[in-house]
Every structure is written in C-alpha cells, then in structure tokens.
Amino acid sequence: MDGGYIVLTTIKEITNHVGKEVKLGGWLYNKRSSGKIQFLQLRDGSGFIQGVVVKNQVTPEVWEAAKSLTQESSLYIWGTVRKDERSPIGYELDVTNIKPIQIAIEYPIAKKKHGVDFLMDHRHLWIRSPRQHAILKIRAEIIKSVQQFLDDHGFTLVDPPILTPSSCEGTTNLFHTKYFDEDAYLTQSGQLYMEAAAMALGKVYSFGPTFRAEKSKTRRHLIEFWMIEPEMAFVEHDGNLEVQEQILSYVVQHVLEHCRPELKTLGRDLGRLEKVRAPFPRITYDEAVELLHKEGFEDFKWGEDFGSPHETKIAESFEKPVFITHYPTEIKAFYMKPDPDRPEVVLCADLIAPEGYGEIIGGSQRIDDPDLLAQRYKEHDLPLESYDWYMDLRKFGTVPHSGFGLGLERTVAWICGLDHVRETIPFPRMLNRLYP
Ligand code: 4AD
C-alpha cells in the first residue's frame, strides 16, 4: 500500500494531488456514519479534510478500522483526492486504507460546551480545535509579517535580556527573583536596551516575552505577554507614529490576504479589517478628555489615566485605530520626552484599536538630554547605580530617538475578534493560571 506512487502529503498541499492516491498522517476530529458510508473528519495540523469510507469499496479490515476510530485517535490514512464543491476546502478523500496508530479513549473535550476553566485546564488539548488552530495560525502570520516589515525597512533584530537589574515601566508590577546574591527582575520591556542598540545599529527591534506581575483580572491582561519593540535613532514623535501605522496596516492586510479560511472559521467581520490602512486618526489627550466629557464621562478629570471603558468610548468615534497623543507627563514613564512647547505633556502616543480592543501600542520619543534625565531619576526615585549605563547613552553622542511596544496578544485579539486575550497565546499565564 505504501508503494512508490503514493505520496505522504499534508492536507494543505492536497490541491497538488487531485485524482491521485495519497497518504496522510493525522487525527480523527469527528465521525458520522450512514450505514454503508463513514465520513471521517480528519485534521493533520495543516488543515481539515473529510475522508469518505464506502463499505463495498474497501476491505472488511479497513471498514472495521474506520469503525474503531474515536475522537482524537491518531492514524495513517490512504485515499484518492477528489474535487468536491460542497467541501469547505474544495476536496475530499475517497479512503482506500486506514492504519490506526493509537485509539484514543475518552477524549475529555467533547462537542458539548465546556466552561472556560475546564478548557483552560485542558489547554494542551484545546489548541487542537479548529477555532484555536485558526487563532494560532493567525498569531504566527502576524509575527511573520511584523518581522517581514521591519526586516525589509532596515531594522536589525536585537535580543534584550530577560533577567534585568532594574525596572522599565515602574516598580509596582515587577517580577522579583534572586540572581545568586543579587536581586533581579523578569523584564517588563526591552526598551532601555533597545535604546542602547539603536545608538549602535540605528534602527532596531526586539521580539520576545515580557512579564508584569499585574494583579488585574481583565480580558486584556496577561502576566507573560510578547512585545515587538522597535527603536529608532534620529526619529522624532511624528515619524514614530508613521512607522506604527504603516506596520499595523501591513500586518492587517497581510492577514487578510493569507488567512482567509482562518478568519472565516472565527467569523471575523472582514469589512472592519479592510478599513485598516494608514494614515490613522490622531487626537491629543486633551481632545480625548473633551470627547469623554461629551459622551457620558463628565466626571473624568484632566490628569487621570484612561481605563478600558474610556478607551472603548473613544474608539467608538473612529473606524480605524486611533492615536491618543500628548498625555500628562505625571502619569507617564520617566523616559518620555516632554513637549518643548508644553512640558506638562509628553511626546507619546497610545494606539487604541477599534471595536473595544483597547491599547495595542504604547510608544514615545525618549528624553535625550542628560540633565533632564537625571532630574527624572530623582523624581521617580530610581536607584542611580542601576541606570548608570542608560545615562551613558545621553552622555556619549545623544540623539533624538523614539520607539514603541506593540503588544502581540492584544493585536491578535483584535485581528481575530476575540473577547479575551487568554485565547491569543498558546499557554497563557494569568492571575491564578500557571497550568498547564
Ligand atoms: O504601554 P506599555 O507598557 O509600553 C512599554 O512597555 C514600552 N516600554 C514599550 C516601548 O516603548 N518600547 O506596553 C506596550 C504594549 C501595550 O500597548 C499592550 O499592547 C501590551 O504592550 N501590554 C500588555 N499586553 C497584555 N498583557 C499585559 N499585561 C500588557 N501590558 C502591556
């Protein structure tokens, strides 16, 4: 049966083998039977296909093998590829032979609805379902396209450390660990190291996991999440925003082009995504506050930070992602450059996704003046010795520079149209969730 003319292929590549006999390795996802025909829903990681077993066209052994298959049993299967208009992928497999590898007993994720906790406890199996498969495929395409864009635009990939001696985004949510006799923290952001790298390589980016011990249990917060952090020498506030809108437009259009079946599986409204093309609207923090006052948040005070309901309300006025710029200096990180015309606000922007998905990018122009940076160290009570090296970047050939962090999971949630970030990452780390 495994003779030379039969190719071991994947479901994704089945189009190349119409009319030919192929061999697939896969799992049984679902099964239907109508007396003399068994319909096997198969998956192999690359896709999903229906295999048709007709009783009087196979040997009794093959018929029995098909009958023995339970949900998530693993198998090799042989069959002839046939075009079929009714199939979601356009092809079916007329099965000629089956070799079960393992018969799975009582697969825990049945077709009935399960609660979130049950599914999260079985995340290692849950990721096999078509919906989770689609999300993970789209996540991978998003990563690929961001890197493609940056690599094609002169950025160099630089890897910052995960273990760090100091904080980047405030000390309240630092993950502490011992580093032999010293204290260390899991990185909250690679930014400070990317600033050093930008002074060496011009345009750089990092892509890696970041950690925040946030006690918040929201649908947008993870403890461990992945960020893409570009940093650019000689780029100022406006240029920083242009790069952000270009990257995001590129990513969304790439996903639309390469992930149609996955977006369809998720039932995503494509019309909303098709509108995501640069330039994006820009409003200042002041304008955003004014908008909130008009839209039912009369009590919001200048100087407060926006929460989820505020961001959602602001986003409702726009079809595309919207930049909110010039936040109050007081509520933003120590490294952000004040607006020279108005030092009570900084040259920063948060990019808010449409449809209530919240902030997906945070970025700013960085302070390049050593004296101002020294002042900020004092105001923010930062231990000078841990930040000596960062000050060196201002002492030795300082230049205007800017950068941003694109949160991968929130971007995936938005593009896939998901309610919660827990489905955007293979094995989420959240408050009360370290398993599996
Ligand atoms: O706005 P943030 O905190 O910015 C920084 O960390 C900067 N140092 C980045 C830089 O300029 N290089 O975080 C950036 C993005 C947010 O917009 C959000 O998408 C994501 O990271 N993010 C989270 N995603 C999931 N769970 C969390 N707890 C997140 N915190 C931030």
Side-chain angles (χ1 to χ4, degrees), residues 117-144:
D117 279 340
F118 180 88
L119 289 171
M120 291 304 290
D121 282 343
H122 294 85
R123 183 67 180 162
H124 51 295
L125 302 176
W126 189 25
I127 53 176
R128 300 181 185 191
S129 75
R131 185 181 151 81
Q132 300 306 317
H133 178 270
I135 296 167
L136 293 183
K137 282 278 183 193
I138 293 176
R139 177 186 166 102
E141 283 299 327
I142 291 173
I143 295 169
K144 186 159 95 184

Side-chain angles (χ1 to χ4, degrees), residues 16 120 127 191 200 301-302 338 402 416 418:
N16 302 331
M120 291 304 290
I127 53 176
Q191 179 197 319
K301 291 195 189 54
W302 197 97
S402 305
C416 291
L418 310 176

